[in-house]
Amino acid sequence: MTALRSRRRHGYIALGLTAVAALTLAGCAEGGDEGGDSGSVEGETVEIAGGITGSEAENLQKTFEQFEEDTGITVNYTGDKGFEGNIVTKVAGGSAPDIAIVPQPGLFRSLVETGEVKEGTAEVEANVDEYWSSIWKDTGSVDGTFYAAPMLANLKGYVWYSPKSFAEWGVEPATTWDELITLTDTIREKTGEPPWCAGFFSEAASGWPGTDWVEDLVLRQAGPDVYDSWAAGDTPFTDPDIEAAFDSVGEILLNPDYVNAGFGDVKSINSTAFGDPIAAAVANGTCALTHQASFLTANFLTAKTADGATPEVGPDGDVYAFLLPGPEAGELAVEGGGELVTAFSDDAATQQVLEFMSTPEFADARVKLGGAISANTGADPTLASSEFLTEAMKIVQDQNTVFRFDASDLMPATVGSGSFWRGMVDWIDGKPTPQVLSDIQAGYQD
């Protein structure tokens, strides 16, 4: 056992004894497994539920392997594609997991309103104070009470492209919105094809990729104060600043000369899946530009170049990305997302898992498995699985970055994952912008 591992083990044991003592004083514990009479948590099992599935779920489970060895606690993660719809029912029915990994702040607040979510411990709150910016702590708090630490992060608002094709066309990534439109026109002149591709199809969640476009433009054009007011519901969708963001997005997505590379006309955006087919089109050169979050790197793992090779993600590789620019060059205001680690049990083993998940050690363990970044400032960005993810992680860790959480995730579900998603689909289908904005705003009355 290394010295670091030894220190970790002593820390976890100390935490376990403290937590068990607290539970003894309290007289009882709610939910989950209680520690044994000996005060040890060894042999206890902590159940975690979330919407992370597939290979990402496997990597999340692997992240706990060293922790399990060090503490004797078994951590079982269960991924559920219908998590967002099922977790509220489980909590209301008295079958909540010990811990839930919640991807949407709006859903998180709904869970807190059930009265079943446990407040964050002093140890977890101290880690959040030390390792995250205040915007992340605010997201995990309700009415001034801290409940949940963040876990991983996504950085949104990237424009994916082919560096090799850019070199061939003699063009560079854009640093302003006007340059982006000029870049688009230049690529169209050189190729004779629509440069952009987009996909809004995501089954019941169709439309959400369009919300990311609008959110990026609101933040970059109107600024963080308007963004915050809009996300909080104080600035309506019918406000001129929000309509201006739609108009800018429409310069690209509603322009048949610009979209939908390789897939069809403008309306084909709604029938095109947002992930694999888009990544494949960028990798094989049939799509010059697409807008998507940092997670698209995972889709490139299964995509192929025109030569049949796995695309290299790098500044001189087959695919890379630059941040969607705003009106002025050099400004760095970005939106992103992440998960909140929410507990329904306050037993000693659960508290140890929660504290571990708020540490740089947890972030490092997950990041080095690939395809993920964290905003935990104590985590090492060089452990990320690519140069792109290292740079993305540095951006979300930078205390000077103007970072805002995904606005649709902050809005009530009737709007954020309801009328806003539907409105983006209607907009692509041709409904006039003023009507779409009114329809989305009406979601607040549902």
Side-chain angles (χ1 to χ4, degrees), residues 71-84:
T71 64
I73 298 171
T74 297
V75 178
N76 285 336
Y77 172 75
T78 302
D80 176 8
K81 289 184 177 180
F83 171 80
E84 288 87 346

Side-chain angles (χ1 to χ4, degrees), residues 115-130:
E116 298 299 323
V117 174
K118 304 302 179 185
E119 292 185 16
T121 65
E123 291 81 3
V124 174
E125 186 170 11
N127 281 340
V128 173
D129 286 338
E130 181 173 0

Side-chain angles (χ1 to χ4, degrees), residues 165-256:
S165 295
F166 268 36
E168 178 183 337
W169 298 326
V171 296
E172 300 283 343
T175 61
T176 68
W177 181 261
D178 287 343
E179 286 184 11
L180 186 67
I181 299 301
T182 300
L183 172 66
T184 301
D185 288 330
T186 302
I187 294 174
R188 176 166 171 72
E189 290 171 2
K190 290 183 177 293
T191 65
E193 300 291 339
W196 288 85
C197 62
F200 283 9
F201 183 72
S202 184
E203 298 183 353
S206 292
W208 72 257
T211 68
D212 283 357
W213 266 101
V214 174
E215 289 157 2
D216 281 338
L217 268 297
V218 171
L219 181 59
R220 286 158 173 75
Q221 292 180 341
D225 290 343
V226 171
Y227 185 94
D228 291 343
S229 175
W230 173 57
D234 296 328
T235 294
F237 275 83
T238 50
D239 186 272
D241 281 333
I242 311 306
E243 183 168 4
F246 269 78
D247 289 342
S248 292
V249 177
E251 283 187 76
I252 294 175
L253 293 188
L254 299 184
N255 188 338

Side-chain angles (χ1 to χ4, degrees), residues 281-362:
V282 176
N284 67 26
T286 56
C287 171
L289 302 164
T290 195
H291 170 271
Q292 195 47 273
S294 56
F295 72 77
L296 201 65
T297 54
N299 296 88
F300 288 120
L301 295 175
T302 55
K304 299 296 182 185
T305 67
D307 297 329
T310 300
E312 176 188 351
V313 180
D316 299 317
D318 299 298
V319 292
Y320 208 56
F322 59 90
L323 284 169
L324 186 76
E328 304 292 335
E331 297 179 345
L332 188 57
V334 296
E335 66 141 343
E339 307 87 357
L340 295 167
V341 183
T342 310
F344 298 94
S345 170
D346 54 9
D347 70 89
T350 299
Q351 296 305 319
Q352 285 208 32
V353 174
L354 287 170
E355 183 172 353
F356 171 60
M357 295 179 74
S358 67
T359 63
E361 286 81 2
F362 171 84

